[in-house]
Amino acid sequence: MAIKLKLNFWQIWNMNVGFFGIQYSFGLQQSAVNPIYDFLGASPDEIPLLNLAGPVTGLLIQPLIGAMSDRTWHPRWGRRKPYFFVGALLCSICLLLFPYSSSLWMAAGLLWILDAGNNTAMEPYRAFIADKLDEEQQPIGFQMQSFFTGLGQTLANLSLFIFPMIFIGKTGSLPTWVYASFFLGAVCSIGSIWWSMKTTSEIPPTPEELAVLQSHKGGLFEPLVEIFSAIGDMPRVMWQLALVYLFQWYALFCYWQNSSKSIALSVWQATPQSNPAAYEQAVSWTGLVNGWYNVVTFLTAFLLVGFAKRFSPKAVHAFCLLLAALGFLAFPHIENKNVLFFAITGFGIGWASMMGIPYLMVVHEIPKERYGVYMGIINMMIVIPMIIQNVTFGYILKHFLHNDARLAITFAGVLLLCSVLCTLLIKSKSTVLKDN
């Protein structure tokens, strides 16, 4: 195995800048796409199915890209970088086109392509950290990605608040501010990836590792065989984490799909149909609220590294999930729009943990030569709950929650409490970093 040199803070910073662009795009998907669906006439119970793009493309693409990148090496382009670049380029093109959506199904189709690009870029980035950094520096590497997650999504959400004040009126079927937000996302996506590719080299394989790579024929079904083989060999801690993720990610999709409509009901007593102007104000305020939780994320991301070393990743993640759950349970009952920032702060801390701490629970039990495929499998554990949510939650929302977005947020809070309990049940030899 090639020797991993110690990197300084700014070298780790530069290698993760590209994650900023990926997460700016993801932030737009969280906060802007569902209001766009509302503007184009979607009913509340249609929203979950319209969000199938993200989890399905993640399920199909990330493990395949992970397995393929494990078997890739180019003397000039490296192992993971070609996938960063192709994914970011695809994202930028889709972000440029998205505001021109003239119908609900055009927007949904572009979201599928956008998510394919995001997933192509995101999974190799997780493996890139494990490739480049030694065991001691991996915690700061993963939490640096959490920092850039918060920063990218903060700016994406702030654009929803600031741009409507600058870009007034409509262009085509959508408000003009949508164009500005998505065009900025296109620049951030390709620009930040370019910076990381330019400033950070990959570690070349040793002659022995290169011989192993060249021995693989690269057949069409080889990545699929590798995925199923890796699932069969998966460490027990990953199965335990999958149960946590089932509740955690189902809950998050409930929040992202319903946050703007919940705020519209609790603060403005409006729906997209009853008062479109008030709903547009609620969407703008939701951008500010979601921007705040991402500010909390990048302010707390590095603090969690120290807590994880002092206590354990499991304890830190459980506590952060509890804060997020309490925030969700309070959120739909708040009628003062300014008090929403206090409720969502708990989710900001939880989101900082979700983006980095779970990887510390499993990375030490994953074979180094299979980092890519296992990071892809972890993403499968994220997207399968999302697919379940997309398929089932429309029915739950319509028949049990009366299409009330406030009840959807409460439901999300209860699910996060379930994920706290599942986290506490995890048993792993790697959950106490301070003993390493």
Side-chain angles (χ1 to χ4, degrees):
M1 186 70 182
I3 297 174
K4 299 180 181 181
L5 300 177
K6 293 285 185 182
L7 303 185
N8 63 40
F9 178 87
W10 294 112
Q11 288 173 317
I12 299 175
W13 173 281
N14 283 332
M15 72 183 289
N16 281 296
V17 164
F19 215 68
F20 165 80
I22 295 170
Q23 293 300 324
Y24 187 105
S25 174
F26 190 54
L28 288 178
Q29 291 179 55
Q30 287 179 0
S31 297
V33 168
N34 287 314
I36 288 172
Y37 286 156
D38 292 327
F39 292 137
L40 292 173
S43 64
D45 52 280
E46 288 178 321
I47 296 294
L49 281 175
L50 289 169
N51 278 274
L52 265 175
V56 171
T57 54
L59 179 65
L60 298 176
I61 289 175
Q62 285 211 23
L64 285 173
I65 293 296
M68 289 168 63
S69 66
D70 282 342
R71 304 294 174 87
T72 297
W73 177 254
H74 188 279
R76 180 177 179 183
W77 300 110
R79 170 173 287 172
R80 315 293 181 184
K81 286 183 181 180
Y83 302 96
F84 300 169
F85 180 75
V86 171
L89 185 62
L90 193 58
C91 283
S92 293
I93 294 170
C94 287
L95 288 169
L96 287 172
L97 294 175
F98 206 98
Y100 295 97
S101 299
S102 57
S103 66
L104 194 59
W105 293 109
M106 180 179 174
L110 279 171
L111 183 61
W112 279 83
I113 303 171
L114 176 62
D115 269 310
N118 260 342
N119 283 296
T120 299
M122 189 182 299
E123 190 285 330
Y125 237 119
R126 300 293 192 191
F128 188 40
I129 297 300
D131 289 341
K132 188 77 176 175
L133 301 178
D134 64 17
E135 188 172 303
E136 182 180 343
Q137 290 195 309
Q138 282 172 356
I140 193 171
F142 284 121
Q143 286 308 108
M144 184 75 78
Q145 292 191 345
S146 182
F147 170 86
F148 278 115
T149 294
L151 183 61
Q153 294 186 18
T154 294
L155 295 182
N157 284 287
L158 285 178
S159 75
L160 272 64
F161 179 75
I162 295 171
F163 285 175
M165 295 186 288
I166 303 172
F167 304 98
I168 300 170
K170 281 193 171 185
T171 302
S173 304
L174 299 173
T176 304
W177 62 260
V178 172
Y179 291 78
S181 294
F182 278 76
F183 289 172
L184 179 58
V187 174
C188 289
S189 180
I190 195 66
S192 62
I193 287 288
W194 173 84
W195 179 267
S196 288
M197 291 179 66
K198 185 176 184 296
T199 58
T200 309
S201 61
E202 295 196 65
I203 299 175
T206 63
E208 294 79 11
E209 291 170 336
L210 189 59
V212 172
L213 289 176
Q214 292 173 343
S215 69
H216 292 283
K217 302 299 182 182
L220 179 63
F221 297 105
E222 185 179 12
L224 291 173
V225 172
E226 174 64 15
I227 291 166
F228 285 109
S229 172
I231 291 173
D233 299 333
M234 201 161 72
R236 181 184 177 190
V237 66
M238 288 186 64
W239 291 106
Q240 296 168 333
L241 184 63
L243 185 60
V244 176
Y245 275 6
L246 174 62
F247 294 105
Q248 174 183 300
W249 288 98
Y250 195 114
L252 297 196
F253 251 39
C254 291
Y255 172 78
W256 290 325
Q257 291 167 7
N258 293 279
S259 55
S260 58
K261 288 190 283 290
S262 175
I263 290 176
L265 284 167
S266 63
V267 177
W268 278 273
Q269 294 78 50
T271 67
Q273 294 76 30
S274 69
N275 192 337
Y279 178 63
E280 196 163 336
Q281 291 181 57
V283 170
S284 179
W285 195 257
T286 303
L288 199 60
V289 169
N290 287 347
W292 171 249
Y293 86 66
N294 283 292
V295 169
V296 173
T297 293
F298 72 74
L299 290 177
T300 58
F302 295 122
L303 294 175
L304 297 184
V305 175
F307 287 123
K309 289 181 177 179
R310 183 177 178 184
F311 301 104
S312 73
K314 179 177 82 169
V316 169
H317 193 56
F319 181 72
C320 292
L321 286 175
L322 179 61
L323 293 179
L326 295 176
F328 279 2
L329 291 172
F331 192 88
H333 303 287
I334 296 170
E335 298 179 358
N336 184 325
K337 64 181 182 180
N338 296 308
V339 180
L340 290 166
F341 294 102
F342 293 98
I344 209 61
T345 296
F347 179 46
I349 297 171
W351 187 233
S353 180
M354 294 172 200
M355 288 293 97
I357 297 299
Y359 297 94
L360 300 181
M361 298 184 200
V362 302
V363 70
H364 304 303
E365 300 191 24
I366 296 173
K368 293 180 173 60
E369 65 276 8
R370 300 176 98 175
Y371 277 152
V373 69
Y374 273 118
M375 292 300 168
I377 290 171
I378 289 174
N379 189 71
M380 290 173 66
M381 295 169 1
I382 294 172
V383 300
I384 289 173
M386 290 181 177
I387 292 172
I388 295 171
Q389 194 271 355
N390 291 150
V391 172
T392 63
F393 190 65
Y395 183 86
I396 293 171
L397 183 62
K398 183 175 182 179
H399 294 280
F400 296 99
L401 303 179
H402 315 296
N403 270 342
D404 190 326
R406 294 166 296 187
L407 294 178
I409 306 296
T410 301
F411 186 68
V414 173
L415 292 177
L416 282 184
L417 290 177
C418 295
S419 69
V420 172
L421 295 176
C422 293
T423 301
L424 294 174
L425 295 175
I426 290 178
K427 294 181 180 179
S428 167
K429 63 184 179 183
S430 302
T431 52
V432 183
L433 291 181
K434 64 181 180 178
D435 294 334
N436 289 345

